[in-house]
Structures are given as C-alpha cells and as structure tokens.
DNA sequence: CCCTGATTCGC
DNA sequence: GCGAATCAGG
C-alpha cells in the first residue's frame, strides 16, 4: 500500500484527533503502526495540536534531532515556548469528576482548580449499566465475582483488549473499569459479555 | 505483558 | 520516501 492523498488525509485527521498510531494503522490497513509513525514524522506533524489527547508517551526522552524544527538559528527573543492553553476541541477527559482529598500533610500549596466542570465522559457509547432488576441473580453473582478480580483500570488504561465494563459510581472515586482480557471481538470480558449481551429470549424466566 | 511514540538506517 | 527494527517509556 502507498500513501495516497486519501490515506494521508485520514492519517492527519486521526492523528490530530488523538488516535494512536496503531489505531490509525488498523483503520488504514496494510500498514503497521511503525509506518504510521514514520509517516507522521515525515509529514512533520509529530506534535499533536491540542496537547491533552492520548499523548501520554510524549516524554522528552530523546528530543535532540527530530523535535527541533525551530528556526531559531540566530535571534531568539525571550519568547517562551508557546503552549496552547485552550485546545479547540477537547475530547478525551483525562480524569472525570471526583477531586480526591489531598493528604494535606506536606506544604500548604493546594493546586488551584479553576472553574473546572465535572465533565462526565458522554462521548463514547458506554455499556448499559445493568439495572439489577433485569439481570438474573446468577449472572449478577458472576459479575460480582469478576469485579473482585477486576484490574480496576482507569479510563486511559483501556485498550481494545481490556474489558470496558464500568464498575462503581462515576461520580465517586469508586469507579473503574473491569480491565480483564476481552472476549475476542467483544468489548468485554467473558463474564461481562454474558450480562451485556443477553438474548431477549433467555432474559425472562431463566433456569432455576 | 500490554501499550505508546521516537529514532535509526537499509532499502 | 518508506517502514522494520529498535529503543525508551508508561
């Protein structure tokens, strides 16, 4: 496969959307994430605009050659690095809700929290919370069992092969995602697939 | 172990 | 220009 205009366009769009290289690669098909990353660099858009996306691994490990496109050869005024403080379109909330209580043992220097609204991630279709009255007791028990073993992943820890079943109350700190290995092709682990995709038929009168 | 992006370098 | 191999980090 080659980098047609169309594919490059898709790449640009997804990359600036905060999609990971591997996701883009899968979307495009016929390329690996390495190819995508390579292309991204060649295109000179290694730095995603907007800042807070999925750029968790943008560590300044070795930014000596590539990440220095600055034309600052001779005159460098006291201008600091321009940092976009107001991303045009935030989409992936890093930490929804629930400001955690500080230990408050050290310095009295509480981080100022501006008018930050407690944004509930409503962007992506989350699995329907089981309304307990529609789920068989056994399935419930099964889920409870699984929840003990859950990896308790945060939003950002979720991948395509981690169970995305939410556990707890999003408005509190008791909230995490199952995170166990998903059933191939499904967004949840086996147990949660079981309660998530119940056939209409077997919903009523289950064995007893 | 899973993942992320960054860099190098032969093609 | 391309991308696999490798590196470095989470």
């Amino acid at each position: 496969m080659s980098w047609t205009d169309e594919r490059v366009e898709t790449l640009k769009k997804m990359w600036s959307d905060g999609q990971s290289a591997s996701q883009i690669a899968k979307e495009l098909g016929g390329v690996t994430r390495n190819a995508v990353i390579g292309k991204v660099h060649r295109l000179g858009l290694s730095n995603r605009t907007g800042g807070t996306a999925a750029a968790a691994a943008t560590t300044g490990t070795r930014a000596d050659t590539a990440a220095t496109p600055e034309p600052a050869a001779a005159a460098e005024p006291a201008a600091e690095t321009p940092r976009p403080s107001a991303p045009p379109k935030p989409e992936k909330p890093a930490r929804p809700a629930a400001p955690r209580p500080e230990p408050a043992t050290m310095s009295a220097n509480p981080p100022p929290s501006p008018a930050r609204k407690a944004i509930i991630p409503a962007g992506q279709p989350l699995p329907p919370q089981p309304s307990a009255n529609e789920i068989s007791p056994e399935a419930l028990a099964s889920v409870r069992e699984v929840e003990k073993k859950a990896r308790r992943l945060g939003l950002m820890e979720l991948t395509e092969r981690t169970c995305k079943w939410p556990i707890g109350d999003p408005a509190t700190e008791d909230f995490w995602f199952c995170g166990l290995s998903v059933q191939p092709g499904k967004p949840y682990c086996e147990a949660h697939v079981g309660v998530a995709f119940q056939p209409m038929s077997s919903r009523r009168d289950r064995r007893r």
Side-chain angles (χ1 to χ4, degrees):
Chain A
M1 278 273 177
S2 59
W3 286 108
T4 63
D5 269 11
E6 207 171 330
R7 291 164 66 79
V8 171
E9 193 178 331
T10 303
L11 164 60
K12 285 180 179 176
K13 183 179 184 301
M14 293 184 70
W15 183 260
S16 58
D17 261 6
Q19 304 272 29
S20 70
S22 60
Q23 283 178 310
I24 298 174
K26 268 180 292 184
E27 172 76 20
L28 291 173
V31 286
T32 64
R33 72 178 197 94
N34 279 310
V36 170
I37 292 176
K39 186 60 179 176
V40 161
H41 279 238
R42 264 173 260 123
L43 286 173
L45 34 77
S46 57
N47 196 336
R48 297 186 210 209
T49 60
T52 311
T58 313
T59 52
T61 50
R62 48 175 62 195
D64 45 76
T65 53
T68 314
E70 297 168 309
E76 185 67 52
E80 296 184 351
T81 306
R83 38 129 189 253
S85 57
K89 51 169 183 175
E91 72 278 288
K92 295 194 174 179
R95 267 296 177 187
R100 52 180 63 257
E102 295 274 331
T105 313
M106 307 180 71
S107 64
N109 194 4
S113 55
R116 175 175 292 275
K117 299 175 181 177
I119 300 177
I120 298 298
Q124 292 296 312
L126 288 179
Q129 276 292 11
S131 36
N133 54 17
E134 287 198 10
I135 294 195
S136 69
E138 12 183 290
L140 257 185
S142 171
V143 171
R144 294 265 186 258
E145 201 59 35
V146 173
E147 290 181 0
K148 293 179 191 169
K149 298 180 296 188
R151 294 179 58 200
R152 300 197 171 197
L153 295 184
L155 237 195
M156 293 175 298
E157 274 72 43
L158 294 178
T159 72
E160 290 195 355
R161 57 187 62 184
T162 58
C163 179
K164 296 161 195 63
W165 192 267
I167 300 172
D169 189 340
T172 71
E173 295 179 28
D174 290 326
F175 182 66
W176 57 83
F177 292 90
C178 172
L180 296 175
S181 291
V182 295
Q183 203 85 76
K186 296 285 172 45
Y188 311 121
C189 66
E190 181 174 3
H192 286 136
V193 161
V195 297
F197 302 113
Q198 283 190 44
M200 287 295 186
S201 51
S202 65
R203 237 191 222 206
R204 202 178 146 62
D205 82 356
R206 294 199 35 115
R207 179 206 69 107
R208 185 176 214 284

